[in-house]
Amino acid sequence: MSDSIIGAGPIGSGPRRIDGQRKVTGAAPYAADHHPDNMAYGYGVFSTIARGTVTGLDLDAARQSPGVIDIFHHDHFPELHRSPASFAQGNKVEETRLPFEDNHIYYEGQFVALVVADTFENARAAARKVSVSYKSSDAIANLDQGVKAHGTTSGSGNHERGDAAGNFDGAAHSIDVTYTTPVETHNPMEMHASVASWEGDRLTIFESSQGVVVQRNALAKIFGLPPSHVRVESPFIGSGFGSKLWMWPHAVAASAAAREIGRPVQLVVPRPQMFTTTGHRPETRQRLRLATDESGRLVSLRHESINTTSFTDQYVETCGSVTKSLYSCPNLLVSHETTQVNRGTPTSMRAPGAAPGLFALESAIDEMAHEIGVDPLEFRMNNYADRDESLDLDFSSNHIREATEKAAEKFGWQDRNPEVGSMREGHEIIGYGMAACNWEALKRECEARVSLRADGTAFVTCATQDIGTGTYTIIAQTVSELTGLPLEKVTVRLGDTSYPAGPVSGGSWATATTLPAIAAATREAIKELKGYATSEKGDFKDVDSDSLTFENGQLTHDGQRVDYVDVLKGQRLASADGHAHTKGADDKYSYRSFGAHFVEVRWDPGISNLRVARVVSAIDVGRVINSMTARNQVEGAIVMGLGMAHFEATEYDARNGRPVNNNYAEYVVPVHADQPPEVEVILLDYPDLAFNEFGARGIGEIGITGMAAAVANAVHHATGKRIRDLPIFKEKLMENVPDVPSA
Amino acid sequence: MREFDYARADSPRQAVSTHGESEQAAYLAGGTTLLDLVKIDIMRPDQVVDINRLDLNEIETLDDGRTRIGALVTNTALARHDRIKNEYAVLSEALLSGATTQLRNKATTAGNVMQRVRCPYFRDGVSSCNKREPGSGCAAIEGHNRSVHAVLGTSEHCIATHPSDMCVAMAAIGATVAVEGPDGQREIDFLDFHLLPGDAPEREHALKPGELITHVTLDAPLENSRSRYLKLRDRASYQFALASSAVIVTLDGDTITEARVALGGVGTKPWRAHEAEAALKGQKATEATFQKAAEIAMQGATPYAHNAFKIPLGQQAIVRNLTTLTAQEDRRTS
């Protein structure tokens, strides 16, 4: 396929989100905005212990509470089936245990009962009257306790080449350092929510979901139904950051309750339980061992990580995923292990693996460069890989050196005085830091349908989702590009399993996956249109359809132009339709995105205040489809990354495994006042045509990778302190903090 | 839902009589504490008396130079009031450093005085908490106690900080709290209003059962003083103080003639640092003076496992605030 997709149309320009007005005016319905007739409300009763069993439930007071319809729990819940949770079969769930399966408690905040009542208030009031008796065991409250109690289990995504251990000892320079990252919780604005209704043996569920098709398949498995009997709708999502990729227990609970009581049921997960029963980024401990030769070339690199997982499922945070291929090194080991703790099952959070992994790797690279007295930029330039040594493949397109140089120049890296604490202004010490960023480019199979309609509009359907990133808009841009119809004449419908199957909105693959299918379906529709035009009744009946051209909504041949609307109307046709089913990526190349962050921090030691003052990032993600939404993705990821660097941590009480800062006030994410005064995003915009005809690789995740390391490296430059344990709370940088042993 | 009686009062007297002396009755003003805690089932009033219709919305200058603030004056209105901005800058700044615009638009002066603690063990409804369930113990002391736990004024029964910024400024300014109760009206010195937890942390204030705050009256501003609120936290907005200082000083040349210092984020009540003030008075405005006063202010502080940094941070809040204040041109005379 040639570069022909890109014409004078809207691909590459920066139109506003076509769904923006509906969102800001409240016209876009989110999951819990749906109120089918006769709907009842569920409210959960959640475990207050992290480990043990439920020994009794006193439901008398709750049953007598006004409006209560039914109360579900492990002795009163229909027998369902587990979903096999296969990614390949498209029915993955992260937590395979069903709600109310038995009386075991694996984490605080686990569903132990579900009260269903006529109103939300009645359900909540009754839920609080349920009295639960527990037999409690000592909780495994964190990673250290897990490793101590039962060690680790091998995970996936491991890799070994050469002899990393043998080339470490005796190398000219080496470091051996360990980094830790805390649990981070996605905290999307919109709560997880389900509104489930049954008609006979057919289930319809409105869900805040990043993957309607997978949820449909999983629900079909769980309820023993053909997938065609389940419909999942998620047209708008108040963000997910990965927590809504796979279905969580509340959706099963709501669906089962609705079937049992014969009424639709709405169930919203309260904010505190969004810290427990809908996934989180797990705690990690990562040991990095790096060695170089005299010239500063890496000769040995080991990245060994452990992450916490639940007692019900193994979730592997693949911290070393990027380490395998970012730098050239003949002797390399990446390993992942897990340890079970009494927390809910973790899940992907924006740039899973890479976000915590690059904090460690890119901090270690900085430490290594510092160790041998080389500028960290130069060290990276000397060691970046030119091909993927883990897959033994060429990169399809890799401009990391240019990205690094461009960002460095824009940032003014050459003005950095490498001496620690040497740059000051007023009360503040200035630190400059940098880090590489990296993310795999992925592409899945996808179906889509495009109709060119007799009313002059195009109608597009695909069961993928727009999670706030601009998918609606780039799909409309694509159809507009190929048909010449203006954006406002293109109607896009997503987030409904009654449409052709589309991908989960995750992995930064939505753009690369959906646009080829949309384009193919559009071309099919145009082909059908040409068929009509060249048929017996058509305006071009003597013309070979291949010689017809279609542009700006018109069919043209040899000076004759006919509006496509007239072609359809002339034959009493409603539309010309195209359906496409496109394939996932091939394995001819290593497909990855690249970039570099440069960060200026300001540390005011007189008031122990750390702030990120400036960020310049250059990102190489292939072709940019929408410059506005793309830039917005990177800017948002930068801000999320600085939150990861010095604010975010879900804190658990080490005595009982209970999260203590499970709300928006005490779980600290950046607010507007924390936005760096200057954020500059450079999008290199080199089409990766080996990957797909659009040359686009996806942009949702790469921006957060490396950010925490860039901040930590800048902090080291300012303060001389190497913070290897996120987040970089001020007390880790302060002097004279009295030492108080933990109780 | 849990049912409660709701009554709307038209006068303070009516409010007090409807409320009665029940421990289970509550006055409703802005609701930013009460409704939150009712929704999470921590406060369970059986009688709610809505006082929003009472005529307590004025900010008045009294003949003796004091400023009387009606109980229902919102945080926003108070912070934006000209006299407050000009004569009590520390109070305006403290208010604007707290919460968010939306919350400040709802939150009232009396409600802010009555703000409850942010300790997660108080709010989770499960852990031991002597405030929520007297005698059950304090889960925070050996638990997670980094951000909303105190190092000053703690006891073996409770270590939660008083979360208000406004109250810290008022503690520095000096004020009285006017109340109306079953036994009539009385005034309570602001510094006596909030109680240390001691062995009865469930008693948080000096109000007798049923008493209603009608006004807070600020002392007359110190003549030729300058004042400032400095709040230190992790993020730049919408977070309770890890340490804060409200400082008011008067200078004669570079000699400090009068100083008022109060601290937030580090104490179990809005914390007036009298000894630190004494250490400033009559001294030259130098960093050494400030540092010494700051050390005195934090003397006797008890650090816990995760909040020991609040001791040096509290000192920094004092030193930097004094440094900035004494270095600046007097805003009112320039």
Side-chain angles (χ1 to χ4, degrees):
Chain A
M1 185 70 60
S2 74
D3 194 4
S4 64
I5 185 75
I6 311 303
I11 293 283
S13 66
R16 291 166 187 267
R17 287 174 173 77
I18 60 172
D19 50 330
Q21 188 173 357
R22 293 186 72 194
K23 285 184 169 177
V24 299
T25 57
Y30 290 81
D33 292 334
H34 294 276
H35 297 86
D37 287 347
N38 203 30
M39 185 179 80
Y41 292 80
Y43 199 90
V45 177
F46 299 97
S47 172
T48 57
I49 66 163
R51 184 183 193 186
T53 51
V54 174
T55 54
L57 285 155
D58 182 350
L59 305 174
D60 292 348
R63 283 211 181 95
Q64 284 158 27
S65 199
V68 170
I69 298 163
D70 206 343
I71 303 172
F72 298 96
H73 52 84
H74 65 271
D75 280 333
H76 175 50
F77 195 69
E79 196 158 315
L80 302 173
H81 316 277
R82 285 188 175 195
S83 175
S86 156
F87 183 79
Q89 291 174 34
N91 50 33
K92 180 177 162 69
V93 290
E94 207 79 85
E95 189 160 299
T96 50
R97 181 184 179 275
L98 298 172
F100 316 121
E101 210 173 61
D102 52 36
N103 68 340
H104 288 270
I105 299 297
Y106 298 98
Y107 56 91
E108 199 270 353
Q110 178 183 318
F111 274 95
V112 294
L114 178 72
V115 176
V116 183
D118 57 349
T119 68
F120 173 78
E121 289 78 9
N122 279 339
R124 184 174 62 181
R128 286 174 179 159
K129 293 176 188 166
V130 173
S131 170
V132 187
S133 311
Y134 300 99
K135 182 170 183 296
S136 187
S137 313
D138 286 344
I140 308 292
N142 54 44
L143 189 147
D144 284 347
Q145 290 181 13
V147 173
K148 208 174 194 180
H150 47 247
T152 60
T153 305
S154 184
S156 52
N158 300 340
H159 174 74
E160 188 167 9
R161 62 178 182 259
D163 177 6
N167 285 278
F168 183 80
D169 299 328
H173 306 282
S174 64
I175 58 166
D176 178 353
V177 282
T178 297
Y179 301 87
T180 54
T181 65
V183 167
E184 291 148 10
T185 304
H186 308 73
N187 269 308
M189 287 275 261
E190 185 201 11
M191 308 302 205
H192 284 259
S194 308
V195 177
S197 323
W198 291 82
E199 254 180 74
D201 62 350
R202 288 172 183 267
L203 169 65
T204 299
I205 184 166
F206 294 97
E207 178 81 32
S208 185
S209 170
Q210 293 176 245
V212 291
V213 172
V214 175
Q215 176 162 353
R216 174 196 66 190
N217 296 346
L219 282 169
K221 288 279 183 192
I222 287 167
F223 285 93
L225 299 169
S228 60
H229 284 204
V230 181
R231 182 175 178 187
V232 181
E233 295 186 58
S234 185
F236 296 100
I237 301 155
S239 203
F241 303 117
S243 72
K244 296 170 180 172
L245 289 170
W246 324 112
M247 181 175 66
W248 294 97
H250 67 274
V252 177
S255 301
R259 195 178 68 179
E260 294 302 302
I261 69 166
R263 288 170 67 169
V265 168
Q266 176 176 113
L267 178 59
V268 179
V269 179
R271 180 66 63 187
Q273 283 72 39
M274 285 184 53
F275 285 78
T276 62
T277 187
T278 57
H280 57 266
R281 197 199 296 280
E283 185 180 351
T284 75
R285 183 203 287 165
Q286 305 174 52
R287 184 176 185 190
L288 272 288
R289 280 179 280 185
L290 280 62
T292 70
D293 60 18
E294 281 297 345
S295 71
R297 293 274 302 180
L298 284 166
V299 294
S300 172
L301 173 50
R302 278 173 287 178
H303 189 166
E304 295 155 286
S305 70
I306 304 168
N307 69 266
T308 52
T309 190
S310 67
F311 277 96
T312 57
D313 300 273
Q314 186 186 36
Y315 170 84
V316 181
E317 184 79 17
T318 51
C319 294
S321 56
V322 173
T323 308
K324 297 175 196 173
S325 62
L326 182 56
Y327 295 103
S328 174
C329 185
N331 306 296
L332 184 138
L333 173 76
V334 162
S335 78
H336 305 108
E337 293 175 280
T338 60
T339 190
Q340 292 175 316
V341 298
N342 289 107
R343 292 174 185 159
T345 306
T347 194
S348 297
M349 180 164 161
R350 202 173 197 173
L358 275 183
F359 163 64
L361 176 66
E362 286 299 282
S363 293
I365 290 289
D366 202 74
E367 295 204 46
M368 192 74 240
H370 198 255
E371 170 77 22
I372 60 181
V374 174
D375 183 291
L377 186 153
E378 187 188 327
F379 183 88
R380 288 183 173 84
M381 288 298 200
N382 288 339
N383 283 285
Y384 281 144
D386 291 320
R387 65 193 307 272
D388 187 326
E389 294 172 9
S390 69
L391 297 174
D392 196 20
L393 289 172
D394 287 335
F395 292 116
S396 59
S397 173
N398 175 354
H399 300 87
I400 193 168
R401 292 172 192 280
E402 184 182 336
T404 305
E405 280 165 358
K406 272 197 167 152
E409 189 187 341
K410 190 85 193 172
F411 181 83
W413 183 258
Q414 73 277 4
D415 301 331
R416 178 182 188 260
N417 179 340
E419 193 188 328
V420 162
S422 61
M423 297 165 67
R424 286 169 187 260
E425 186 178 331
H427 290 299
E428 292 180 321
I429 307 173
I430 298 167
Y432 283 5
M434 70 160 295
C437 54
N438 197 275
W439 185 249
E440 188 175 9
L442 299 157
K443 178 177 170 235
R444 305 284 172 201
E445 64 177 311
C446 182
E447 295 178 57
R449 184 178 170 87
V450 173
S451 296
L452 301 172
R453 302 198 293 195
D455 64 359
T457 67
F459 186 79
V460 187
T461 54
C462 177
T464 188
Q465 306 69 217
D466 186 328
I467 57 172
T469 50
T471 307
Y472 278 116
T473 309
I474 60 169
I475 286 175
Q477 284 176 259
T478 301
V479 175
S480 175
E481 183 83 35
L482 291 170
T483 61
L485 292 173
L487 281 181
E488 60 271 20
K489 295 276 189 192
V490 182
T491 301
V492 184
R493 294 267 193 272
L494 308 174
D496 183 337
T497 53
S498 66
Y499 305 145
V504 159
S505 299
S508 299
W509 62 55
T511 299
T513 300
T514 55
L515 295 196
I518 298 295
T522 306
R523 291 195 184 99
E524 282 300 308
I526 292 168
K527 192 172 159 195
E528 186 170 282
L529 187 68
K530 288 178 179 172
Y532 296 145
T534 54
S535 70
E536 271 306 299
K537 300 182 217 157
D539 298 281
F540 298 93
K541 66 179 162 123
D542 297 326
V543 178
D544 174 21
S545 72
D546 289 342
S547 61
L548 270 179
T549 57
F550 181 71
E551 53 189 27
N552 297 320
Q554 292 180 320
L555 291 165
T556 309
H557 178 73
D558 211 11
Q560 185 188 359
R561 309 175 80 85
V562 180
D563 200 296
Y564 91 88
V565 169
D566 296 328
V567 173
L568 293 171
K569 284 182 175 165
Q571 299 182 43
R572 302 178 67 88
L573 292 168
S575 61
D577 308 315
H579 183 277
H581 187 164
T582 46
K583 298 271 172 267
D586 60 39
D587 53 7
K588 289 183 192 152
Y589 293 97
S590 171
Y591 300 104
R592 302 194 73 87
S593 287
F594 301 88
H597 296 299
F598 288 76
V599 167
E600 175 186 323
V601 300
R602 299 281 183 124
W603 168 244
D604 184 340
I607 52 170
S608 302
N609 191 58
L610 178 69
R611 66 187 181 95
V612 177
R614 206 155 60 89
V615 180
V616 177
S617 303
I619 308 285
D620 166 29
V621 288
R623 173 171 279 130
V624 171
I625 303 298
N626 182 317
S627 57
M628 179 186 281
T629 56
R631 199 168 293 279
N632 174 245
Q633 281 298 299
V634 179
E635 289 170 354
I638 285 169
V639 172
M640 199 168 179
L642 74 87
M644 175 182 175
H646 69 138
F647 298 141
E648 284 192 55
T650 304
E651 310 276 12
Y652 296 82
D653 192 311
R655 299 167 299 183
N656 54 34
R658 199 177 282 150
V660 292
N661 60 336
N662 54 4
N663 62 68
Y664 264 174
E666 269 89 31
Y667 183 90
V668 178
V669 297
V671 294
H672 283 95
D674 297 302
Q675 311 306 306
E678 293 175 48
V679 176
E680 169 104 21
V681 174
I682 301 162
L683 300 171
L684 293 191
D685 209 11
Y686 287 112
D688 184 351
L689 297 171
F691 192 44
N692 59 63
E693 62 175 306
F694 289 82
R697 284 196 299 257
I699 199 165
E701 284 157 292
I702 187 168
I704 193 175
T705 71
M707 260 308 287
V711 172
N713 296 339
V715 165
H716 177 262
H717 180 228
T719 67
K721 294 209 164 159
R722 191 62 79 172
I723 307 303
R724 303 190 181 101
D725 173 46
L726 290 183
I728 308 169
F729 279 145
K730 57 179 84 246
E731 55 265 38
K732 297 175 186 174
L733 302 175
M734 292 171 72
E735 312 290 344
N736 306 323
V737 176
D739 190 30
V740 183
S742 271
Chain B
M1 58 189 291
R2 284 185 196 280
E3 295 191 350
F4 55 81
D5 288 330
Y6 170 88
R8 192 182 271 156
D10 293 320
S11 70
R13 181 142 303 281
Q14 191 196 352
V16 169
S17 89
T18 308
H19 184 289
E21 296 186 23
S22 163
E23 300 256 310
Q24 300 309 316
Y27 294 115
L28 172 66
T32 56
T33 288
L34 179 66
L35 298 186
D36 270 12
L37 290 175
V38 167
K39 280 190 267 188
I40 62 171
D41 211 28
I42 298 304
M43 289 178 78
R44 301 172 181 181
D46 56 20
Q47 169 75 65
V48 171
V49 183
D50 185 342
I51 60 167
N52 282 293
R53 296 238 173 139
L54 304 191
D55 189 16
L56 297 171
N57 287 299
E58 296 295 312
I59 300 170
E60 307 155 81
T61 305
L62 304 183
D63 291 343
D64 58 8
R66 294 189 300 155
T67 300
R68 194 168 81 145
I69 305 159
L72 295 176
V73 172
T74 66
N75 287 178
T76 298
L78 187 57
R80 303 290 184 200
H81 191 268
D82 278 344
R83 182 167 162 83
I84 302 300
K85 282 194 291 185
N86 295 328
E87 306 291 330
Y88 302 100
V90 65
L91 177 58
S92 180
E93 291 172 9
L95 284 159
L96 294 177
S97 76
T100 62
T101 306
Q102 294 91 330
L103 285 164
R104 294 193 296 268
N105 287 345
K106 288 299 289 178
T108 64
T109 303
N112 195 313
V113 170
M114 295 295 290
Q115 201 172 346
R116 305 294 303 273
V117 300
R118 291 294 311 185
C119 176
Y121 301 103
F122 168 72
R123 296 169 68 91
D124 71 12
V126 177
S127 303
S128 336
C129 173
N130 289 319
K131 271 191 192 296
R132 181 164 36 73
E133 207 179 322
S136 64
C138 173
I141 289 173
E142 294 189 350
H144 194 82
N145 48 36
R146 174 177 183 265
S147 59
V148 291
H149 297 98
V151 292
L152 291 168
T154 57
S155 76
E156 59 185 293
H157 304 286
C158 182
I159 62 169
T161 48
H162 191 274
S164 169
D165 294 299
M166 182 193 82
C167 290
V168 178
M170 287 178 172
I173 292 164
T176 55
V177 180
V179 304
E180 179 153 349
D183 302 328
Q185 301 177 343
R186 66 179 183 121
E187 295 208 332
I188 304 166
D189 190 295
F190 192 83
L191 295 181
D192 297 331
F193 187 88
H194 298 98
L195 305 180
L196 291 174
D199 58 4
E202 73 279 12
R203 288 179 51 237
E204 297 178 336
H205 49 70
L207 290 179
K208 293 182 199 156
E211 281 186 329
L212 170 73
I213 298 173
T214 56
H215 302 88
V216 174
T217 306
L218 304 177
D219 289 357
L222 277 185
E223 229 163 285
N224 295 319
S225 64
R226 48 185 78 180
S227 73
R228 188 166 172 266
Y229 190 72
L230 176 61
K231 181 172 178 177
L232 306 180
R233 43 187 162 183
D234 295 313
R235 65 180 164 199
S237 178
Y238 191 55
Q239 191 183 3
F240 295 95
L242 295 170
S244 69
S245 71
V247 175
I248 307 168
V249 291
T250 61
L251 291 171
D252 180 5
D254 60 357
T255 301
I256 299 167
T257 49
E258 190 65 63
R260 306 266 179 82
V261 177
L263 300 172
V266 292
T268 52
K269 60 177 277 187
W271 196 263
R272 180 76 177 264
H274 292 290
E275 294 83 358
E277 294 170 6
L280 292 166
K281 234 187 220 177
Q283 301 298 311
K284 295 279 182 217
T286 64
E287 187 167 346
T289 302
F290 306 153
Q291 188 57 47
K292 190 168 172 216
E295 281 164 20
I296 290 170
M298 300 305 292
Q299 248 168 25
T302 307
Y304 296 87
H306 308 106
N307 75 352
F309 71 99
K310 287 190 171 186
I311 296 175
L313 195 69
Q315 294 176 3
Q316 292 183 332
I318 295 170
V319 172
R320 175 62 61 82
N321 203 346
L322 281 162
T323 306
T324 310
L325 263 182
T326 55
Q328 79 190 14
E329 290 297 313
D330 188 333
R331 278 170 293 182
R332 293 176 312 131
T333 53
S334 60

